[in-house]
Amino acid sequence: MHAQPLLVRPAIDYLPSYTHALAQGWSLDLRGPAAAAEQRARVEQDPAAFLAALENRAGQGAPLQLPDGSLVPRLPGIQRWIWDGEFCGAVSLRWVEGSAELPAYCLGHVGYGVVPWKQGRGYASSALGQILPEARAIGLPHVDLTTDPDNHASRRVIERNGGTLVKAFTKPAPYGGKPGLLFRISLAPIFRGGRR
């Protein structure tokens, strides 16, 4: 059994390990290696600005590029890095201020990914569990997550964290119009001893 990793706020000290993952073509962005190359360039150009953009609670900045190349407004969001002494992956949380609903172009409140050489250790399940208190703290009553029907590993990660299947759906055109599964994790307050 592997020790569980920490979720850390992206910082300069972690950047060399993060950029190593980017150099291998890994990216949390669904655009994959192309996005990894863009992120490496942004890190090289201005590391501080790159890191600041990963803690974007106001949803500021340039539009977000979807897998088909289309541009959409950026949502408020944060990213945390999965760390076990080196960079293992990332988990992101995004939201719409004052609402639990998301625009159609955003497939879920939470996205996560683990680098290939750290997979199979339970890191994704741990990271998802660790980001849920942050979602609760910003006032979300639940988080929605999506995955592909054949991604059994991702489905297990979500279910281990209390996720239940809401529905099968067809992804919007920017994501290829392929089948998807929508899950929801309730963030209802936990009651202990009659206190909230």
Side-chain angles (χ1 to χ4, degrees), residues 25-109:
W26 182 89
S27 175
L28 187 59
D29 190 304
L30 295 176
R31 296 178 298 125
E38 290 172 14
Q39 290 163 4
R40 283 180 71 194
R42 287 174 51 213
V43 169
E44 290 170 11
Q45 182 179 10
D46 190 340
F50 175 80
L51 292 168
L54 299 179
E55 188 77 17
N56 189 0
R57 292 176 181 268
Q60 299 172 328
L64 187 67
Q65 187 174 6
L66 298 182
D68 71 345
S70 60
L71 298 176
V72 295
R74 189 171 294 275
L75 296 178
I78 59 173
Q79 189 174 116
R80 297 291 180 257
W81 289 349
I82 307 169
W83 189 262
D84 72 352
E86 59 187 17
F87 179 82
C88 305
V91 59
S92 63
L93 172 65
R94 54 234 167 213
W95 64 91
V96 172
E97 202 61 50
S99 175
E101 300 304 313
L102 291 168
Y105 64 80
C106 183
L107 294 184
H109 293 97

Side-chain angles (χ1 to χ4, degrees), residues 49-176:
F50 175 80
L51 292 168
L54 299 179
E55 188 77 17
N56 189 0
R57 292 176 181 268
Q60 299 172 328
L64 187 67
Q65 187 174 6
L66 298 182
D68 71 345
S70 60
L71 298 176
V72 295
R74 189 171 294 275
L75 296 178
I78 59 173
Q79 189 174 116
R80 297 291 180 257
W81 289 349
I82 307 169
W83 189 262
D84 72 352
E86 59 187 17
F87 179 82
C88 305
V91 59
S92 63
L93 172 65
R94 54 234 167 213
W95 64 91
V96 172
E97 202 61 50
S99 175
E101 300 304 313
L102 291 168
Y105 64 80
C106 183
L107 294 184
H109 293 97
V110 178
Y112 53 84
V114 174
V115 295
W117 53 96
K118 295 282 188 175
Q119 291 176 359
R121 302 181 184 197
Y123 284 9
S125 293
S126 176
L128 176 55
Q130 290 180 65
I131 199 76
L132 295 179
E134 297 219 38
R136 189 178 287 115
I138 62 169
L140 289 173
H142 63 262
V143 292
D144 290 339
L145 305 93
T146 60
T147 191
D148 295 337
D150 61 353
N151 190 340
H152 303 294
S154 185
R155 186 173 182 157
R156 283 191 302 272
V157 165
I158 296 167
E159 290 172 341
R160 283 182 189 136
N161 281 282
T164 57
L165 180 63
V166 174
K167 65 178 180 178
F169 73 105
T170 301
K171 294 180 186 178
Y175 297 93

